[in-house]
Amino acid sequence: MKRIAFLFLLFLASQTVHSWKKDEFRACDQTPFCKRARFRKPGSCTLIAADVSISDGDLTAKLVPKAPQDHDQDPIKPLTLSISVYQDGILRLKIDEDPSLDPPKKRFQVPDVIVPEFESKKLWLQSASTEKLDGNNAGLSSVVYLSDGYEAVLRHDPFEVYVREKAGNRRVVSLNSHGLFDFEQLRVKKEDEDWEERFRGHTDTRPYGPQSISFDVSFYESDFVYGIPEHASSFALKPTRGPGVEESEPYRLFNLDVFEYVHDSPFGIYGSIPFMVSHGKSGKSSGFFWLNAAEMQIDVLAKGWDAEDGILMPIDQSRIDTFWMTEAGIVDTFFFIGPGPKDVVKQYMSVTGLPAMPQLFSTAYHQCRWNYRDEEDVENVDSKFDEHDIPYDVLWLDIEHTDGKRYFTWDKLLFPHPEEMQRKLAAKGRHMVTIVDPHIKRDDSFDLHKDASKRGYYVKDASGKDFDGWCWPGSSSYPDVLNPEIRSWWSEKFSYKNYIGSTPSLYIWNDMNEPSVFNGPEVTMPRDVLHLGGVEHRELHNAYGYYFHMATADGLVKRGDGKDRPFVLSRAFFAGSQRYGAVWTGDNSADWDHLRVSVPMILSLGLTGMSFSGADVGGFFGNPEPELLVRWYQLGAYYPFFRGHAHHDTKRREPWLFGERNTALMRDAIRIRYTLLPYFYTLFREANVTGVPVVRPLWMEFPSDEAAFSNDEAFMVGNSLLVQGIYETRAKHASVYLPGKESWYDLRTGTAYKGGKTHKLEVSEESIPAFQRAGTIVPRKDRFRRSSTQMMHDPFTLVMALNSSQEAEGELYLDDGKSFDFKQGAYIHRRFVFSNGHLTSLNVASSSPLGNSRFSSDCIIERIIILGYTPGAKTALVEPGNQKAEIELGPLRFGGQHGGGGAVTIRKPGVRVGEDWKIKIL
Ligand code: NOJ
């Protein structure tokens, strides 16, 4: 008997090595709508655009079948089509069932994602011109203005929508060029029909039957497509169908809690953003966004996939074809013309909103673990950071801190004095984050549950009862956050009065909000569960976590009387989540492959709006060997969101547990982040104003540099720094591609390397390769404190890396790091320009801020390091005041390390950071 038990344990242990439970999740061929769609042949769409006209400023039409229909079939009712045009080159195409033809139900259109300002950007179309391509009606198209130099075209037969450049008729993005469009209309069930779908013992009643939509989208002047997170896969999306592609699933967008996800797979994980960006040799980008929260599957088609379908496509433009399928909802799509990659990102963000400006503390280092056991453990970890001179800002408590997984409560034995615990951290300028998940324990003595059930605030199962699923607390129900009233109720729970034991230095972590349901189909909620207004969960699934994140962030805003910026980390996300906070890439593993894939994952998130994201440093599952852990800290220091985290079964791994040498290496890595906080904060502000992400692919800065297009080992932090991870053990060398024509300076040694080349560099355990681009100025703070808050009044260092014309430029943004006063103009925003041997500080704060709040700072600049300065410099003259400042050859310090070489350093120029000044080098 013992032997059998032993063998069973052995079996279980072997299962946990690679235990992604593929069978728990549906593949495309187990998903009827996906399977059906993938079988369809190009040219099978028979719809043509009829009754084309301009109405209410839109180009509208009906989509009707071309050929008379077979009498045995259900009639295909006309669909409504509308094309609207918005400022900055955005086309919106909507296709839905015609409400005047009495469909059995209104199809779900996702509310609350498009920002209200977007509607005011609508251009009212006055007229459409008609073009005849081949002299007969079949070649008829209606053409409308889109923006200067661009037009939107609706071809009538077969129906196709595309955007083109006026000059030369060059296409940008098109839909249904391959005639794969299909729209399953809602029908009334016939007696002999079985609409149920079964998967692993779960039955989906599908009361409205098949209602999927699919179509092809082509991107022109394109060699690669990117985006559509979240997948653990390469940044440039690999083809999933066509010549040379072995069997592959499409990229799946379906928010799921996938246990031990694998590092190279198109399967869906925690979040979904149906936004794709294309890029190509022309240096141009375009984009396509489908606002739809139902399960989506997307194929990227390999060149030549359409060789036999006989459809004529423009041959003089390189092109990537894609195929989009969804289970439900409507066609509500947006075409973005670019033409630059940053333009596309801005266009997308003008629809879904800009990323929130985070609090300064949240851009620093976070220490998490499942779980810090009790108050003593918290105190101990906190003091060890000080003992080892390692700065950190936030200590996190996972689910075990609660009373039996009842969120908003504390385990009274382990955490008897939560307020005092938070105050002690706050005294050092530190913060705490606690976890609050959406599953509410069904326990009649739990007030939150009593209140929610009494009010009828839970999601309902198909029979109309409160949906009851299994999660951490056991039997649980889930608030219906689609309902604004329920969101408002939820947000009240974060008040100090309701969340007993919380203080102003406490912020929130939303986990499991896909939502995760341990006993549900694919570990989530059944698709026929019901939300407000009879909306089926299948229609809304990918946005559930978005609404939960929104309600929590609103709760923190209310708690602080609208004066304190919220910090909420969420695992699930959807288009628009960038307005509510940060996300991370979930339960990764402590292995080199997961370290490597963290970069393309974070790049994809940034490209699609989620500029505040990171991966668990060290890997969530498993025990990283010290070398991997150190490499992860060295890379993680450049993630926008920088947090160490680990599963409860792993060994403790705080940075001081692996011997002095490793402690020193991790300390240096964390200090690099603290040194660069002023630069990161400036980039977060850039993202907040323009949508351009903090961490970017190389091609976003170097759009014509082909060698950068599929590089996902290296990334840019802002426009100035390039970072290359080390993804293998005992690496002695690294090949680093440095784009562009200008040089790059090693951040630690100041050594210059030529751009436009791959360099084979020696690497040591001390750091990963990181460079500053010639022509840029990076603001830093070089003094080490316990937390970012304590660095508030510290002086700045500017590092100028000069280009071949001996010029450089950079920016610095600062504000109080905490409140919303920056929205009323309470901030400092400077541009530093170096040319002709003069460094000038210019005010670039908006001259007409919305309010008249001001922010001032006593901070001075204590040091200016100049890289690549050729003439011998002796002294510097500071204006106003005509003061002299010394110039010396100083060591190139970085992150606490004394780098090699000597760099020209202006010592103590003493200028104030918020003022106009000029420094001349003599
Ligand atoms: C799953 C999350 O992804 C992980 O980070 C967390 O530690 C556990 N849930 C427990 O809350």
Side-chain angles (χ1 to χ4, degrees), residues 181-233:
F181 183 89
D182 186 53
F183 194 118
E184 293 181 316
Q185 303 197 3
L186 297 174
R187 290 178 293 132
V188 179
K189 193 167 154 188
K190 295 194 186 117
E191 248 174 41
D192 55 341
E193 271 181 312
D194 176 12
W195 282 353
E196 290 187 348
E197 268 178 27
R198 285 162 208 89
F199 180 69
R200 286 176 63 97
H202 297 277
T203 302
D204 174 0
T205 56
R206 293 214 311 166
Y208 300 97
Q211 44 180 310
S212 76
I213 304 173
S214 48
F215 48 75
D216 53 283
V217 177
S218 300
F219 298 88
Y220 301 80
E221 310 292 351
S222 298
D223 300 302
F224 292 100
V225 284
Y226 308 84
I228 55 166
E230 182 172 38
H231 305 100
S233 60

Side-chain angles (χ1 to χ4, degrees), residues 94-108:
K94 281 174 100 171
I95 300 174
D96 196 356
E97 298 194 32
D98 188 339
S100 66
L101 299 176
D102 284 337
K105 184 184 176 232
K106 187 172 166 5
R107 300 175 72 114
F108 183 61

